[in-house]
PDB file of all heavy atoms in Angstrom:
ATOM      1  N   ASP B 169     108.534  86.931  77.161  1.00 87.00           N
ATOM      2  CA  ASP B 169     107.347  86.179  77.828  1.00 87.00           C
ATOM      3  C   ASP B 169     107.801  84.909  78.346  1.00 87.00           C
ATOM      4  O   ASP B 169     107.299  84.441  79.473  1.00 87.00           O
ATOM      5  CB  ASP B 169     106.365  85.919  76.656  1.00 87.00           C
ATOM      6  CG  ASP B 169     105.492  87.105  76.323  1.00 87.00           C
ATOM      7  OD1 ASP B 169     105.539  88.096  77.043  1.00 87.00           O
ATOM      8  OD2 ASP B 169     104.764  87.083  75.377  1.00 87.00           O
ATOM      9  N   TYR B 173     107.050  84.063  82.251  1.00 88.00           N
ATOM     10  CA  TYR B 173     106.152  82.965  82.657  1.00 88.00           C
ATOM     11  C   TYR B 173     106.935  81.897  83.441  1.00 88.00           C
ATOM     12  O   TYR B 173     106.431  81.334  84.457  1.00 88.00           O
ATOM     13  CB  TYR B 173     105.359  82.347  81.491  1.00 88.00           C
ATOM     14  CG  TYR B 173     104.338  83.326  80.971  1.00 88.00           C
ATOM     15  CD1 TYR B 173     104.411  83.792  79.687  1.00 88.00           C
ATOM     16  CD2 TYR B 173     103.369  83.727  81.808  1.00 88.00           C
ATOM     17  CE1 TYR B 173     103.354  84.704  79.235  1.00 88.00           C
ATOM     18  CE2 TYR B 173     102.351  84.591  81.365  1.00 88.00           C
ATOM     19  CZ  TYR B 173     102.369  85.081  80.015  1.00 88.00           C
ATOM     20  OH  TYR B 173     101.429  85.949  79.537  1.00 88.00           O
ATOM     21  N   ASP B 177     106.238  80.714  87.131  1.00 92.00           N
ATOM     22  CA  ASP B 177     106.184  79.221  87.541  1.00 92.00           C
ATOM     23  C   ASP B 177     107.225  78.996  88.669  1.00 92.00           C
ATOM     24  O   ASP B 177     106.893  78.122  89.575  1.00 92.00           O
ATOM     25  CB  ASP B 177     106.491  78.392  86.379  1.00 92.00           C
ATOM     26  CG  ASP B 177     105.371  78.272  85.327  1.00 92.00           C
ATOM     27  OD1 ASP B 177     104.250  78.672  85.722  1.00 92.00           O
ATOM     28  OD2 ASP B 177     105.618  77.908  84.180  1.00 92.00           O
ATOM     29  N   PHE B 178     108.342  79.666  88.687  1.00 93.00           N
ATOM     30  CA  PHE B 178     109.396  79.424  89.656  1.00 93.00           C
ATOM     31  C   PHE B 178     108.764  79.863  91.000  1.00 93.00           C
ATOM     32  O   PHE B 178     108.838  79.143  91.978  1.00 93.00           O
ATOM     33  CB  PHE B 178     110.600  80.134  89.342  1.00 93.00           C
ATOM     34  CG  PHE B 178     111.510  80.399  90.596  1.00 93.00           C
ATOM     35  CD1 PHE B 178     112.207  79.361  91.157  1.00 93.00           C
ATOM     36  CD2 PHE B 178     111.628  81.639  91.157  1.00 93.00           C
ATOM     37  CE1 PHE B 178     112.989  79.464  92.223  1.00 93.00           C
ATOM     38  CE2 PHE B 178     112.416  81.758  92.254  1.00 93.00           C
ATOM     39  CZ  PHE B 178     113.110  80.729  92.799  1.00 93.00           C
ATOM     40  N   SER B 181     106.448  77.385  92.279  1.00 93.00           N
ATOM     41  CA  SER B 181     107.077  76.131  92.747  1.00 93.00           C
ATOM     42  C   SER B 181     107.754  76.291  94.149  1.00 93.00           C
ATOM     43  O   SER B 181     107.892  75.316  94.813  1.00 93.00           O
ATOM     44  CB  SER B 181     108.071  75.668  91.692  1.00 93.00           C
ATOM     45  OG  SER B 181     109.195  76.489  91.695  1.00 93.00           O
ATOM     46  N   LEU B 213     111.286 104.430  86.018  1.00 88.00           N
ATOM     47  CA  LEU B 213     110.956 104.797  84.652  1.00 88.00           C
ATOM     48  C   LEU B 213     109.737 103.994  84.156  1.00 88.00           C
ATOM     49  O   LEU B 213     109.701 103.464  83.022  1.00 88.00           O
ATOM     50  CB  LEU B 213     112.162 104.627  83.715  1.00 88.00           C
ATOM     51  CG  LEU B 213     113.349 105.444  84.118  1.00 88.00           C
ATOM     52  CD1 LEU B 213     114.569 105.075  83.217  1.00 88.00           C
ATOM     53  CD2 LEU B 213     113.178 106.877  84.093  1.00 88.00           C
ATOM     54  N   LYS B 247     104.648 101.880 102.211  1.00 96.00           N
ATOM     55  CA  LYS B 247     105.621 101.299 103.078  1.00 96.00           C
ATOM     56  C   LYS B 247     105.520  99.776 102.904  1.00 96.00           C
ATOM     57  O   LYS B 247     104.378  99.284 102.689  1.00 96.00           O
ATOM     58  CB  LYS B 247     105.414 101.700 104.554  1.00 96.00           C
ATOM     59  CG  LYS B 247     105.551 103.187 104.792  1.00 96.00           C
ATOM     60  CD  LYS B 247     105.289 103.504 106.288  1.00 96.00           C
ATOM     61  CE  LYS B 247     106.305 103.003 107.224  1.00 96.00           C
ATOM     62  NZ  LYS B 247     107.572 103.650 107.263  1.00 96.00           N
ATOM     63  N   GLU B 258     113.712  85.612 102.499  1.00 95.00           N
ATOM     64  CA  GLU B 258     113.468  84.528 101.602  1.00 95.00           C
ATOM     65  C   GLU B 258     113.331  84.997 100.121  1.00 95.00           C
ATOM     66  O   GLU B 258     113.851  84.380  99.262  1.00 95.00           O
ATOM     67  CB  GLU B 258     112.093  83.859 102.083  1.00 95.00           C
ATOM     68  CG  GLU B 258     111.906  82.574 101.370  1.00 95.00           C
ATOM     69  CD  GLU B 258     112.709  81.416 101.856  1.00 95.00           C
ATOM     70  OE1 GLU B 258     113.261  81.563 102.968  1.00 95.00           O
ATOM     71  OE2 GLU B 258     112.852  80.486 101.144  1.00 95.00           O
ATOM     72  N   LEU B 268     121.463  85.044  89.181  1.00 92.00           N
ATOM     73  CA  LEU B 268     122.396  84.026  88.754  1.00 92.00           C
ATOM     74  C   LEU B 268     121.945  83.337  87.498  1.00 92.00           C
ATOM     75  O   LEU B 268     122.756  83.058  86.607  1.00 92.00           O
ATOM     76  CB  LEU B 268     122.633  82.999  89.885  1.00 92.00           C
ATOM     77  CG  LEU B 268     123.720  81.968  89.751  1.00 92.00           C
ATOM     78  CD1 LEU B 268     125.078  82.618  89.369  1.00 92.00           C
ATOM     79  CD2 LEU B 268     123.782  81.058  90.933  1.00 92.00           C
ATOM     80  N   ASP B 282     125.768  94.596  74.905  1.00 84.00           N
ATOM     81  CA  ASP B 282     126.262  95.812  74.262  1.00 84.00           C
ATOM     82  C   ASP B 282     125.240  96.422  73.341  1.00 84.00           C
ATOM     83  O   ASP B 282     124.957  97.601  73.315  1.00 84.00           O
ATOM     84  CB  ASP B 282     127.606  95.574  73.537  1.00 84.00           C
ATOM     85  CG  ASP B 282     128.765  95.279  74.532  1.00 84.00           C
ATOM     86  OD1 ASP B 282     128.674  95.610  75.620  1.00 84.00           O
ATOM     87  OD2 ASP B 282     129.728  94.777  74.009  1.00 84.00           O
ATOM     88  N   LEU B 301     107.137 108.007  63.943  1.00 90.00           N
ATOM     89  CA  LEU B 301     106.450 109.115  63.263  1.00 90.00           C
ATOM     90  C   LEU B 301     107.303 109.670  62.134  1.00 90.00           C
ATOM     91  O   LEU B 301     106.840 109.962  61.021  1.00 90.00           O
ATOM     92  CB  LEU B 301     106.098 110.155  64.276  1.00 90.00           C
ATOM     93  CG  LEU B 301     104.959 109.815  65.239  1.00 90.00           C
ATOM     94  CD1 LEU B 301     104.801 110.856  66.286  1.00 90.00           C
ATOM     95  CD2 LEU B 301     103.649 109.703  64.466  1.00 90.00           C
ATOM     96  N   ASN B 303     109.657 108.055  60.559  1.00 91.00           N
ATOM     97  CA  ASN B 303     109.741 107.050  59.387  1.00 91.00           C
ATOM     98  C   ASN B 303     108.327 106.984  58.626  1.00 91.00           C
ATOM     99  O   ASN B 303     108.414 106.799  57.456  1.00 91.00           O
ATOM    100  CB  ASN B 303     109.979 105.671  60.013  1.00 91.00           C
ATOM    101  CG  ASN B 303     111.433 105.512  60.428  1.00 91.00           C
ATOM    102  OD1 ASN B 303     112.242 106.200  59.936  1.00 91.00           O
ATOM    103  ND2 ASN B 303     111.708 104.667  61.388  1.00 91.00           N
TER     104      ASN B 303
END
Side-chain angles (χ1 to χ4, degrees):
D169 281 348
Y173 291 117
D177 285 344
F178 163 72
S181 72
L213 302 176
K247 297 177 71 76
E258 193 71 21
L268 182 58
D282 291 342
L301 286 171
N303 288 332

